[in-house]
Amino acid sequence: MMEKRGHHICKMVNYNVRQKITQETSRKVGGKLVRTPGSSEVMIYKGKEKIEGGMKDIKKAAQKVYDLLKKNENHTNVSKRLIKKYNLS
């Protein structure tokens, strides 16, 4: 079964930052109300391949992608709007 990739947040060159949000749910089990907590997970994709996941903050994921691009000397292709929005350095 294919894993759901989540909602698209931003794209830097050939990397995508996506966020999967799970809502809090409650249901009755055996006459008692059982709640499952909600969560959010931020992941980095390159095409359909998941590079890294399990992050909680979008800004940290964007910084990680920017660092990957710096390492490959491809960071000059990132838009200035994204650099300003996520305070990338």
Side-chain angles (χ1 to χ4, degrees):
M1 184 173 166
M2 190 173 113
E3 178 185 5
K4 293 198 177 196
R5 289 187 222 128
H7 298 283
H8 180 266
I9 302 297
C10 71
K11 179 176 179 134
M12 291 186 205
V13 186
N14 54 353
Y15 292 95
N16 290 313
V17 177
R18 295 182 161 271
Q19 183 178 34
K20 184 166 49 171
I21 299 172
T22 307
Q23 296 289 331
E24 177 181 338
T25 59
S26 59
R27 61 186 175 155
K28 282 192 174 184
V29 176
K32 294 184 179 181
L33 193 63
V34 177
R35 290 184 178 226
T36 57
S39 66
S40 116
E41 179 186 9
V42 180
M43 299 157 287
I44 299 172
Y45 281 89
K46 185 174 184 178
K48 290 185 178 181
E49 179 185 350
K50 185 176 181 181
I51 304 296
E52 188 172 333
M55 292 178 267
K56 297 291 180 189
D57 191 20
I58 294 171
K59 288 186 178 184
K60 288 182 183 178
Q63 182 66 50
K64 182 98 176 178
V65 170
Y66 192 67
D67 292 340
L68 285 170
L69 291 171
K70 267 187 174 179
K71 192 165 68 172
N72 296 334
E73 297 180 2
N74 203 3
H75 65 283
T76 56
N77 296 332
V78 178
S79 72
K80 290 181 180 179
R81 183 180 66 84
L82 289 175
I83 291 173
K84 187 175 180 182
K85 182 177 181 178
Y86 297 114
N87 297 324
L88 304 174
S89 57

